[in-house]
Amino acid sequence: VSSGVGHHGVGASPGDKKSKSKSTRGKKKSIFETYMSKEDVSEGLKRGTLIQGVLRINPKKFHEAFIPSPDGDRDIFIDGVIARNRALNGDLVVVKLLPEEQW
């Protein structure tokens, strides 16, 4: 994407409307949450408010992903690409469970 934006931006004047809309459009594309800091992750894992596991994405339904629960009893379901926050199959991830009433 950045190479495409750079290519289209060549020869555009600073006051060009396209330049302004591209900068605004780029900000709107940030649909994912920012990553947590290493300190927050470490603290959350110690407290037990975060769970770490290897992500498995359903190859037939890519919007469905899972990590094993800490007790090994069942999997934790992650619903949707946005909830995965850019993680790919096989990535070591940290998740925070939703409140139980949203399960």
Side-chain angles (χ1 to χ4, degrees):
V1 174
S2 60
S3 63
V5 171
H7 177 70
H8 293 295
V10 173
S13 67
D16 191 0
K17 288 183 181 180
K18 288 183 180 180
S19 297
K20 289 180 183 178
S21 67
K22 284 181 185 173
S23 64
T24 304
R25 193 173 12 165
K27 290 178 185 175
K28 289 182 181 179
K29 287 186 179 181
S30 298
I31 59 173
F32 296 108
E33 291 186 34
T34 58
Y35 292 131
M36 298 176 72
S37 71
K38 290 181 181 181
E39 294 80 18
D40 289 344
V41 169
S42 185
E43 187 63 31
L45 290 171
K46 286 178 190 172
R47 286 189 197 160
T49 58
L50 299 175
I51 299 169
Q52 179 175 299
V54 176
L55 187 75
R56 295 185 332 272
I57 298 174
N58 183 340
K60 295 187 180 190
K61 296 180 181 178
F62 70 91
H63 62 301
E64 295 181 355
F66 305 88
I67 66 165
S69 65
D71 61 9
D73 189 31
R74 41 185 134 165
D75 287 337
I76 297 169
F77 177 64
I78 301 169
D79 189 17
V81 175
I82 294 172
R84 277 200 328 254
N85 199 14
R86 298 168 286 221
L88 301 174
N89 194 55
D91 285 352
L92 181 62
V93 298
V94 171
V95 298
K96 181 177 182 182
L97 295 180
L98 293 171
E100 197 168 336
E101 59 271 6
Q102 293 181 23
W103 292 4

